[in-house]
Amino acid sequence: MQAFLKTGKLGKDEKPSGSKASGKEDSKKGSRPTPWVEKYRPKTVDDVVEQNEIVAVLKQCLSGADLPHFLFYGPPGTGKTSTIIAAARQLFGDMYKERILELNASDDRGIQVIRDKVKVFSQLTASAVRPDGRPCPPYKIVILDEADSMTHAAQAALRRTMEKESRSTRFCLICNYVSCIIDPLTSRCSKFRFKPLGEGMMHSRLELICREENVKCEQAALKCLVETSGGDLRRAITCLQSCARLKGSEGITEQDVFEVTGVIPSHWIVGLLKICQQSDFQKLEAYVEELMCEAYSASRVLEQLHEIVIKSTDLSDHHKSVICEKIALCSYRLQDGASEFLELLDLCSTIMKSNLKI
Amino acid sequence: MSLWVDKYRPTNLSKLDYHKTQAAYLKNLVQQGDFPHLLFYGPSGAGKKTRIMALLRELYGSGVERLRMEHMNFQTPSNKKIEIMTVSSNYHIEVNPSDAGIYDRIVIMDLIKGAAQTHQLDASGQRDFKVILLTEVDRLTKDAQHALRRTMEKYVQTCRLILCANSTSQVIPAIRSRCLGVRVPAPTHAEIIAVLQNVCKKEGVPLPDELADRIAVKCNRNLRRAILMCEACKVQQFPLTKEQEIAEPDWQVYLRDTASLVLQEQTPKKLLEVRTRLYELIVHGIPTDIIFKGLLKELIKNCDLQLKTAVIELAATHEHRLHRGSKVIFYLESFIAKFMALYLQFMEDTIGGMF
Amino acid sequence: MEWSWIMPSFSKQFGMKTVDEDEDANFDNRKRARLSVEEEETKHEQTVKCTEKKANNFGGDRGIQKLWCDKYKPKNVDDLVINRKKVLEVENWLKCVWRNPHCKTLLITGPPGSGKLCTLTAVCRSLGFSYIEWTNPLGITKDSSQELKFQEFLLQASKYSSLITGESDKRIVLIKDIPSFLLENPSVFHEIIIKHTRPKNISPIVFIISCVDVVRDLFPDDVKFQLNLASINFNPVTETAMVKALEKVVSLERKIDRSFSVPSKDEMLDVSRTCDGDLRSALLKLQFGLEGGGNSDVFKIPMLDSNNKRTRIKKTTSKKHGVKQIVSEIDKDKKLDFFHLVGRVLYPKKEVNSNDPKKFTFVHSPGEIVDSFLTEPNKLVNILHENYLERFTNIKDVCSASELLENSDILLSDYSGRDTLTEYALSVTVRGLMTTNNHPTETKWKPLSKSRIYTTECNKKQNINNLRTLFPNVQSADDALLDVVPYLSKLNLDLPPEKQAILKSLITYNN
């Protein structure tokens, strides 16, 4: 993976060398395509978009300032891992491997691992000069990806290590929910919140990838990709790649994006609402049944229905509140594993009833 | 003698009867010799398994059809032994981990670890990964799904997972986002008729259009059921006629009768009788959501819209509560009790309104 | 042997006046009585692994006090209180087994204390057969050695004639214990047994197993078929039969020991009712209830409200005999209590406040009932669920009751919070059922039925297992049960009869 750091752009047939500690997709044979997510990770801190605060701090570090412990949090796909990796690569260059320990949730991260792996790593000394005599930062970085899935005991164990080894080791905790990190840890780190990416930025990024990969993609499809990903660039890129794989040399259409992301074509949802406005129960039952037969997921239906209801101009506020409350209840039940058919039917009959009252 | 369902199951991606564009895409997908983890989802009888097997055949050739059955043993941390039936070929292994109940996590971990660590021996010309086919992933415990997600990342080099589920609602988002979802909608009415006609033609059994139409209506867009119904019709009466009776599964009849018992009389005594029948359904392995759905559909037939809404809400509530608890009979019974009370009130009101 | 050192302390604690005086007075008497019983007894000490017994032998401890259930074990077929038909079934099988080389195995199932072993021994005795029983070796934990020992035993037991008695022709092998290793690995067990029963000249094997689960694991239908296994299921002993047996024992005991008063028929009926068809436990209860005089509190089952008179008697007597009260507390039989407490929930007794008729208090505190079941909450909830419905007449009451049961089940299902939630769950159930039934049935008392939840679960598993043996390549049991099985039965397929039977069982619904 060193290779693409330097060149920035990779041809399709280039074999990435080395493997990432995270154990994510790694290719031994040239025939296997690299995930685009890996391929198009930002290479330098400057490439990181929209996260101005952290970029500013990291730039300072790159120019020689000391690096604090970091805690990155924010929704998935906003570039948390990419940022720290890019920074580390810039900091350490070819010494990257020796100076970085990356652990993510796929590794077993009980208290034992913290004790052993992290401790051993952090106790190694880090000199301020490279083998070739050039200066380099005198510390190592431990990256703990998905830190919110660590047990509290393990987090507590980390606290001691962090304190003791702070002379030569910096920690970077990455998580989605900052509330899952125990307070003693958060207080020791400088916290940075990663915002969901803006649509324009995602759009241009996806376009770039399409160009590089020679993928034909309709503008509508790109727009749809951006919309469905909800600011999660990783998801958008993965989807794009999946679509491209499925379609082969054919161009990607909006329909394909729908299919891959599991988004339900809006005519289904609109149709559902329309039927709820009539008082023909039999039709409703048949419609819900059909929706299930089409294998659309009920939770997705709820999500999209919610979207439409909130934005709707025809519905009164009171009406909206009734529907939304029921949507919330139904999605909660679905979470617990309740039957999709029953929940949808319950929701729809409630909407129907409330329509009748008004 | 094999069943029609098995006999006329298409084995090749290009021979599938419907969702033909999807089949072409799937072909594209495996053409590069590799594919991401896949998640096939769709209602039962839509042809998920048929597509998966056709895909594997496309990838590995006819070797995947030489299946053998094996028992695999797993051991829980508390030294309890679990035996799971697996179906495998040289290239893939198929498991239904939800058979292990609450120990599904162990099955998943051990199985994937085991499969991933034993490399393909004949690497010459073959793919350098194995395929693990997990069925009914939506019935896995959350714990197992998280374990699955982790092992998925770890062993991506040596194995590919194909997951099969009835719906994605019960699959955790982390897994959904790591797989390429393949939606398999149930075949449409017309598609079912076409398949039935096709099968009957090959069997040399003339199938009247009306009968085909009626079967297609009755099967709830479940192709497997449709073909079985058709074959049962042929056994019952040959040659087939257009108004001949289509046999229904016994459990469906029993479920309907149970519902009509509820409508007959709304007393604790009747409820006791209904309870015995509910036990009977549970013993026969009828899933509770099917019981709820079947009862609900029958029960609301005579209700007005107001009552319908109330009853549906009851059913949804109790079915949900069932997932939080463990003794299914409590929830079924409570639903029936509540319905009885509502229905009694409703009947009294309507009769009272008449005078 | 053991009794001799346990009993004295035991009896003293129990305030029994027996041991010393009693022994002096009755010892000869008893000895004489016993002599006739045990005259053929050869002093059999247990050999290390297996005990060879002649069918007419009884346990050879020369203790002073002997348990009635051992002492009055039926020796003749006529003494048995078991249904005559069952006895005949066993007898027929034993008679036929020597002639039919294909049917070499018998499985006797039934709840504990239903007389499985007694019947077998008595029948063996009457037919003049002997039996040799496998006992799990103690102290051997290694799986392989357990398995080996078991195989060795089977081989020796059936092939070689006993050195002592020299008889081998009319001997059966009895297996009551199953080595734990084989319990965990049913497939190994199947292999051993099937391999073992292949030769024609082996001794017949009788399995006696009371646990339904074990039967299901060890003898699935296909194995049963391969073994050509005959099975006889014993039902719990009926109330009348049990009372008869109890009366008989009491009258026999009276001949030896006149120190206790004969319990009334009602009392015996109560004992038998609370024992759920378990004769052994009934005898134990009777024996320790009567020891030290007929008025013992232990025997006095606290009566349900319908039998209120007796409860009051009990109360007065217990005040007089404080010591006995303690004894009864110690010896309180779980089962006695169980039904009693269930009754208190199902038939709550209220004391209405004289000033305000709307206010009332419960005679029996629900809190106490909750406390007594903290260790086995599901047992209480299940039996209440099974029985509450019959005592309700109003469907609205049922609504609230059933919802409360739901709530308590949800609370009980929360594994992580069970320390605190169990109590709440029970409280919800107990108080809920006590308060919701505003229109109880007229009839005072109906016998309690057993909960079907567990058996339903077992049978469901059995059905799915059967399905798996029928279609080993089916992955989704739901799909198969919902679609394939119902239609398969309509296709008149050419299936072997045992598969046909499984198929039938899968689609047959009782109305």
Side-chain angles (χ1 to χ4, degrees):
Chain A
M1 306 254 165
Q2 299 279 55
F4 71 70
L5 261 181
K6 285 170 193 150
T7 58
K9 289 157 198 165
L10 268 184
K12 243 187 173 163
D13 48 353
E14 267 202 50
K15 295 174 197 170
S17 57
S19 70
K20 253 179 86 240
S22 71
K24 282 206 178 142
E25 185 127 4
D26 152 292
S27 15
K28 279 188 292 181
K29 290 194 177 176
S31 67
R32 189 172 302 160
T34 341
W36 295 351
V37 189
E38 298 295 329
K39 205 163 154 186
Y40 294 96
R41 262 193 203 286
K43 316 299 185 278
T44 61
V45 174
D46 293 298
D47 278 356
V48 176
V49 280
E50 296 218 12
Q51 318 292 358
N52 301 327
E53 290 169 49
I54 177 65
V55 169
V57 173
L58 281 174
K59 270 186 181 160
Q60 273 185 8
C61 299
L62 283 176
S63 56
D66 196 15
L67 193 80
H69 296 305
F70 283 122
L71 172 64
F72 291 173
Y73 64 99
T78 48
K80 298 183 293 293
T81 316
S82 302
T83 307
I84 189 67
I85 287 180
R89 283 181 194 281
Q90 277 184 297
L91 275 173
F92 301 116
D94 45 4
M95 286 171 70
Y96 174 79
K97 269 191 149 177
E98 297 132 57
R99 293 293 178 88
I100 294 288
L101 176 70
E102 194 185 340
L103 293 170
N104 72 4
S106 58
D107 306 300
D108 188 24
R109 269 192 324 198
I111 190 161
Q112 207 52 44
V113 175
I114 294 297
R115 283 215 182 106
D116 302 346
K117 264 196 183 164
V118 176
K119 220 170 183 177
V120 167
F121 179 78
S122 53
Q123 278 164 353
L124 297 172
T125 51
S127 73
V129 282
R130 290 168 205 263
D132 58 4
R134 283 183 295 138
C136 85
Y139 45 75
K140 304 162 303 249
I141 299 182
V142 178
I143 302 174
L144 290 165
D145 214 339
E146 295 168 53
D148 38 6
S149 61
M150 271 163 71
T151 59
H152 278 202
Q155 290 188 31
L158 191 61
R159 181 174 81 180
R160 292 272 305 133
T161 325
M162 247 166 127
E163 244 165 32
K164 251 168 90 184
E165 312 297 339
S166 65
R167 217 165 38 85
S168 67
T169 311
R170 299 289 176 274
F171 283 85
C172 179
L173 307 180
I174 299 176
C175 65
N176 294 137
Y177 306 102
V178 74
S179 55
C180 298
I181 307 290
I182 57 171
D183 281 344
L185 279 189
T186 52
S187 79
R188 282 172 176 74
C189 301
S190 32
K191 291 180 286 255
F192 290 98
R193 179 170 172 268
F194 280 65
K195 297 179 284 290
L197 300 178
E199 296 198 347
M201 183 267 136
M202 286 180 69
H203 199 273
S204 60
R205 194 81 195 166
L206 291 176
E207 259 181 340
L208 174 94
I209 295 174
C210 285
R211 257 201 321 275
E212 295 290 336
E213 296 287 340
N214 270 326
V215 174
K216 275 178 266 157
C217 189
E218 282 178 12
Q219 277 305 311
L222 275 186
K223 193 163 166 279
C224 178
L225 265 178
V226 171
E227 274 167 14
T228 53
S229 59
D232 182 343
L233 188 58
R234 178 172 46 207
R235 196 156 123 200
I237 297 178
T238 320
C239 279
L240 184 68
Q241 190 175 17
S242 301
C243 290
R245 290 286 300 278
L246 277 179
K247 297 288 279 194
S249 53
E250 273 177 80
I252 299 171
T253 63
E254 199 178 0
Q255 203 57 45
D256 302 323
V257 178
F258 279 153
E259 201 54 54
V260 167
T261 51
V263 173
I264 304 157
S266 56
H267 69 88
W268 279 102
I269 309 291
V270 175
L272 190 67
L273 276 173
K274 231 177 227 151
I275 286 205
C276 288
Q277 261 146 29
Q278 302 156 7
S279 55
D280 187 347
F281 184 81
Q282 230 144 34
K283 241 185 185 170
L284 175 68
E285 199 184 311
Y287 196 85
V288 172
E289 193 89 63
E290 206 180 332
L291 208 55
M292 293 289 93
C293 278
E294 287 297 321
Y296 289 122
S297 108
S299 45
R300 193 78 222 187
V301 174
L302 293 184
E303 255 168 65
Q304 289 183 245
L305 198 65
H306 179 249
E307 196 91 336
I308 291 184
V309 167
I310 288 291
K311 285 185 183 152
S312 155
T313 45
D314 311 336
L315 299 166
S316 71
D317 280 351
H318 170 73
H319 205 161
K320 277 184 187 176
S321 71
V322 171
I323 298 176
C324 288
E325 191 184 352
K326 196 74 191 186
I327 290 180
L329 180 64
C330 287
S331 43
Y332 157 70
R333 288 179 186 159
L334 279 175
Q335 280 285 312
D336 279 344
S339 149
E340 294 189 297
F341 175 81
L342 289 178
E343 293 306 328
L344 270 190
L345 201 63
D346 185 18
L347 172 63
C348 294
S349 67
T350 310
I351 300 177
M352 194 182 245
K353 197 173 99 184
S354 69
N355 275 333
L356 284 180
K357 271 186 193 157
I358 290 159
Chain B
M1 175 185 130
S2 66
L3 297 171
W4 291 1
V5 199
D6 298 323
K7 207 162 150 192
Y8 299 107
R9 187 191 296 277
T11 52
N12 201 310
L13 276 179
S14 47
K15 283 188 192 142
L16 292 177
D17 294 296
Y18 49 96
H19 304 331
K20 280 184 192 289
T21 32
Q22 186 188 55
Y25 293 161
L26 288 176
K27 217 168 178 172
N28 271 337
L29 186 72
V30 292
Q31 228 152 37
Q32 298 167 48
D34 180 28
F35 59 88
H37 299 309
L38 297 176
L39 169 62
F40 281 78
Y41 60 97
S44 57
K48 298 180 293 288
K49 189 73 187 298
T50 308
R51 273 154 191 78
I52 293 171
M53 288 317 284
L55 183 89
L56 289 177
R57 195 190 142 100
E58 188 77 30
L59 199 64
Y60 293 112
S62 56
V64 282
E65 279 156 27
R66 279 195 292 277
L67 297 174
R68 52 178 182 270
M69 259 125 14
E70 274 166 55
H71 286 281
M72 271 179 100
N73 285 307
F74 299 93
Q75 198 162 24
T76 66
S78 55
N79 280 331
K80 195 174 147 60
K81 294 222 169 66
I82 321 163
E83 207 181 63
I84 292 281
M85 182 79 93
T86 65
V87 178
S88 59
S89 74
N90 283 336
Y91 311 102
H92 84 289
I93 180 163
E94 180 185 342
V95 187
N96 183 350
S98 58
D99 279 354
I102 52 165
Y103 299 112
D104 48 2
R105 194 177 70 91
I106 291 143
V107 173
I108 295 227
M109 303 261 283
D110 287 6
L111 181 85
I112 298 183
K113 235 183 234 170
Q117 278 162 0
T118 50
H119 279 268
Q120 207 75 40
L121 277 178
D122 51 346
S124 56
Q126 303 296 351
R127 316 288 168 204
D128 59 347
F129 55 82
K130 239 188 168 182
V131 173
I132 301 176
L133 170 52
L134 300 177
T135 48
E136 298 192 320
V137 243
D138 44 346
R139 291 179 52 183
L140 293 179
T141 56
K142 289 280 171 321
D143 206 19
Q145 293 197 27
H146 282 291
L148 178 60
R149 157 206 162 170
R150 254 167 257 150
T151 31
M152 234 163 153
E153 280 176 344
K154 212 166 180 173
Y155 298 108
V156 76
Q157 290 178 37
T158 43
C159 66
R160 292 290 177 282
L161 292 170
I162 298 185
L163 312 177
C164 187
N166 278 345
S167 116
T168 50
S169 281
Q170 254 68 276
V171 182
I172 58 168
I175 289 185
R176 262 186 279 165
S177 77
R178 279 169 178 77
C179 294
L180 173 55
V182 180
R183 184 172 64 94
V184 187
T188 59
H189 190 77
E191 281 163 350
I192 290 178
I193 293 181
V195 172
L196 287 179
Q197 290 290 10
N198 208 348
V199 166
C200 286
K201 209 164 96 195
K202 282 185 197 153
E203 274 290 315
V205 179
L207 173 70
D209 286 342
E210 287 87 343
L211 185 66
D213 191 63
R214 278 175 52 223
I215 291 178
V217 169
K218 210 152 197 185
C219 69
N220 277 334
R221 290 179 70 181
N222 180 337
L223 186 62
R224 174 181 32 238
R225 196 178 293 175
I227 299 177
L228 282 163
M229 272 177 177
C230 188
E231 194 176 354
C233 282
K234 186 222 141 193
V235 171
Q236 270 165 2
Q237 190 180 348
F238 185 80
L240 297 168
T241 58
K242 50 184 177 182
E243 59 282 311
Q244 90 175 82
E245 197 194 335
I246 304 166
E248 264 184 294
D250 304 85
W251 59 266
Q252 223 162 27
V253 180
Y254 192 78
L255 195 55
R256 215 175 27 234
D257 293 349
T258 310
S260 57
L261 272 185
V262 177
L263 291 170
Q264 256 170 37
E265 191 187 308
Q266 293 81 35
T267 57
K269 213 177 132 218
K270 207 67 179 175
L271 184 55
L272 202 60
E273 204 177 312
V274 172
R275 178 201 280 174
T276 313
R277 291 177 74 100
L278 291 174
Y279 270 132
E280 193 71 10
L281 282 163
I282 297 170
V283 163
H284 284 78
I286 307 299
T288 43
D289 57 326
I290 302 269
I291 302 182
F292 264 110
K293 192 172 159 182
L295 285 175
L296 177 70
K297 281 191 163 183
E298 289 300 317
L299 293 179
I300 55 174
K301 270 186 182 159
N302 294 333
C303 304
D304 66 352
L305 191 62
Q306 194 75 24
L307 186 60
K308 269 190 177 114
T309 322
V311 176
I312 292 168
E313 194 171 346
L314 274 184
T317 317
H318 288 276
E319 203 269 341
H320 162 250
R321 288 167 65 89
L322 179 149
H323 291 276
R324 305 210 60 122
S326 49
K327 293 166 195 138
V328 290
I329 190 74
F330 283 26
Y331 305 90
L332 287 164
E333 189 175 299
S334 185
F335 165 58
I336 300 287
K338 290 266 176 68
F339 171 80
M340 281 181 166
L342 268 181
Y343 193 71
L344 206 63
Q345 188 68 44
F346 168 71
M347 294 303 274
E348 274 166 15
D349 288 353
T350 14
I351 290 168
M354 288 201 303
F355 298 108
Chain C
M1 236 37 143
E2 287 150 327
W3 281 112
S4 59
W5 63 266
I6 290 178
M7 279 319 283
S9 55
F10 199 56
S11 53
K12 235 164 231 163
Q13 209 183 35
F14 274 66
M16 294 196 310
K17 52 172 188 184
T18 43
V19 185
D20 288 332
E21 320 111 60
D22 218 45
E23 197 187 304
D24 288 340
N26 295 313
F27 190 64
D28 288 341
N29 220 344
R30 275 197 210 179
K31 207 169 183 184
R32 224 170 293 132
R34 211 182 303 122
L35 265 176
S36 61
V37 177
E38 296 172 354
E39 53 192 356
E40 301 148 272
E41 180 185 348
T42 46
K43 22 103 224 34
H44 253 25
E45 289 305 336
Q46 298 219 323
T47 49
V48 192
K49 278 153 263 146
C50 58
T51 335
E52 187 157 345
K53 286 180 188 167
K54 275 178 97 184
N56 47 13
N57 281 348
F58 289 84
D61 44 343
R62 262 155 276 145
I64 296 145
Q65 201 83 34
K66 221 176 152 186
L67 289 179
W68 287 1
C69 50
D70 292 331
K71 196 161 155 191
Y72 297 106
K73 203 166 226 173
K75 286 154 297 258
N76 300 316
V77 178
D78 301 326
D79 289 343
L80 289 169
V81 288
I82 313 294
N83 188 346
R84 208 47 219 148
K85 265 191 205 148
K86 291 280 170 215
V87 182
L88 272 179
E89 260 181 72
V90 177
E91 209 173 308
N92 283 339
W93 186 84
L94 281 173
K95 277 180 188 160
C96 291
V97 72
W98 306 105
R99 273 176 255 137
N100 185 354
H102 298 296
C103 186
K104 285 285 183 197
T105 46
L106 172 69
L107 170 66
I108 301 182
T109 53
S114 57
K116 300 179 291 291
L117 184 64
C118 274
T119 312
L120 187 75
T121 38
V123 171
C124 276
R125 230 170 95 94
S126 72
L127 295 175
F129 301 161
S130 64
Y131 69 87
I132 173 166
E133 188 187 344
W134 157 261
T135 328
N136 274 348
L138 287 174
I140 298 182
T141 46
K142 244 175 78 195
D143 298 345
S144 51
S145 60
Q146 260 190 21
E147 185 191 335
L148 230 75
K149 281 257 157 41
F150 185 64
Q151 269 175 310
E152 214 172 85
F153 163 79
L154 280 181
L155 195 74
Q156 286 180 351
S158 56
K159 292 267 165 69
Y160 306 111
S161 56
S162 155
L163 287 173
I164 309 161
T165 54
E167 49 185 321
S168 69
D169 49 345
K170 296 281 165 115
R171 184 177 58 184
I172 56 174
V173 179
L174 174 64
I175 296 171
K176 265 176 79 187
D177 285 349
I178 310 275
S180 56
F181 169 70
L182 297 177
L183 279 177
E184 284 160 16
N185 300 280
S187 51
V188 181
F189 175 79
H190 300 155
E191 226 169 82
I192 295 177
I193 294 296
I194 290 172
K195 208 171 108 200
H196 176 75
T197 48
R198 210 164 283 150
K200 283 185 179 166
N201 52 350
I202 56 141
S203 304
I205 304 175
V206 178
F207 299 94
I208 296 187
I209 300 172
S210 57
C211 181
V212 189
D213 264 2
V214 175
V215 174
R216 198 188 60 226
D217 285 351
L218 292 185
F219 300 98
D221 287 355
D222 56 324
V223 173
K224 273 187 187 168
F225 186 76
Q226 274 190 59
L227 287 175
N228 206 354
L229 181 80
S231 49
I232 298 174
N233 182 36
F234 275 60
N235 296 325
V237 181
T238 57
E239 250 170 50
T240 36
M242 198 182 290
V243 171
K244 225 171 87 188
L246 295 183
E247 275 173 348
K248 201 163 159 189
V249 168
V250 168
S251 68
L252 280 175
E253 186 68 21
R254 273 294 279 186
K255 285 182 196 156
I256 310 164
D257 178 2
R258 302 197 149 271
S259 67
F260 65 88
S261 60
V262 180
S264 73
K265 187 150 182 165
D266 269 1
E267 283 167 324
M268 285 204 237
L269 203 66
D270 287 329
V271 170
S272 65
R273 196 169 285 156
T274 51
C275 286
D276 218 9
D278 185 342
L279 188 54
R280 190 183 309 131
S281 112
L283 276 172
L284 269 174
K285 209 162 284 166
L286 195 67
Q287 180 175 11
F288 291 101
L290 292 180
E291 294 291 355
N295 282 336
S296 162
D297 283 330
V298 191
F299 174 63
K300 279 283 176 211
I301 309 146
M303 281 301 130
L304 303 164
D305 297 327
S306 51
N307 304 356
N308 208 9
K309 224 192 282 166
R310 234 165 277 149
T311 325
R312 230 170 286 138
I313 298 171
K314 184 212 148 194
K315 269 183 193 154
T316 49
T317 48
S318 61
K319 261 174 210 155
K320 276 183 215 156
H321 310 279
V323 190
K324 280 182 186 164
Q325 180 68 26
I326 296 162
V327 172
S328 80
E329 289 295 326
I330 296 166
D331 195 52
K332 214 178 229 173
D333 189 271
K334 270 271 163 65
K335 232 165 186 173
L336 276 174
D337 245 16
F338 182 68
F339 287 95
H340 179 215
L341 290 173
V342 170
R344 280 184 180 173
V345 178
L346 291 176
Y347 301 94
K349 209 178 159 225
K350 295 169 189 172
E351 222 157 58
V352 179
N353 192 323
S354 49
N355 300 327
D356 184 357
K358 271 183 191 159
K359 282 185 183 165
F360 63 84
T361 48
F362 287 113
V363 175
H364 306 292
S365 145
E368 259 170 42
I369 304 176
V370 169
D371 285 344
S372 3
F373 284 100
L374 282 177
T375 49
E376 37 182 11
N378 280 310
K379 196 173 168 193
L380 178 70
V381 175
N382 288 356
I383 194 142
L384 286 175
H385 165 257
E386 186 65 40
N387 291 288
Y388 82 99
L389 213 46
E390 279 178 294
R391 281 126 188 119
F392 279 63
T393 55
N394 187 309
I395 194 73
K396 280 195 182 124
D397 295 346
V398 176
C399 280
S400 9
S402 66
E403 187 170 343
L404 289 167
L405 279 172
E406 267 188 1
N407 289 341
S408 92
D409 182 50
I410 291 176
L411 288 174
L412 279 178
S413 303
D414 189 340
Y415 192 73
S416 53
R418 66 191 157 144
D419 289 344
T420 41
L421 294 183
T422 306
E423 192 175 346
Y424 296 141
L426 280 178
S427 190
V428 166
T429 318
V430 169
R431 285 171 217 262
L433 288 181
M434 282 170 95
T435 48
T436 45
N437 194 0
N438 297 322
H439 309 81
T441 41
E442 297 287 312
T443 31
K444 273 289 180 192
W445 169 253
K446 271 183 203 158
L448 294 172
S449 333
K450 258 190 185 164
S451 170
R452 284 173 283 177
I453 289 175
Y454 182 65
T455 41
T456 307
E457 215 34 58
C458 285
N459 292 342
K460 179 182 166 187
K461 267 189 207 146
Q462 170 87 48
N463 272 338
I464 289 179
N465 280 349
N466 283 343
L467 178 82
R468 294 250 180 250
T469 43
L470 194 58
F471 307 102
N473 53 349
V474 161
Q475 278 293 348
S476 161
D478 281 359
D479 285 353
L481 280 171
L482 292 177
D483 297 336
V484 183
V485 169
Y487 285 105
L488 215 55
S489 59
K490 294 183 168 61
L491 292 179
N492 305 330
L493 291 180
D494 237 0
L495 288 175
E498 78 271 15
K499 286 199 170 185
Q500 205 72 270
I502 292 175
L503 194 59
K504 191 130 192 275
S505 77
L506 285 176
I507 57 145
T508 324
Y509 288 86
N510 295 326
N511 276 310

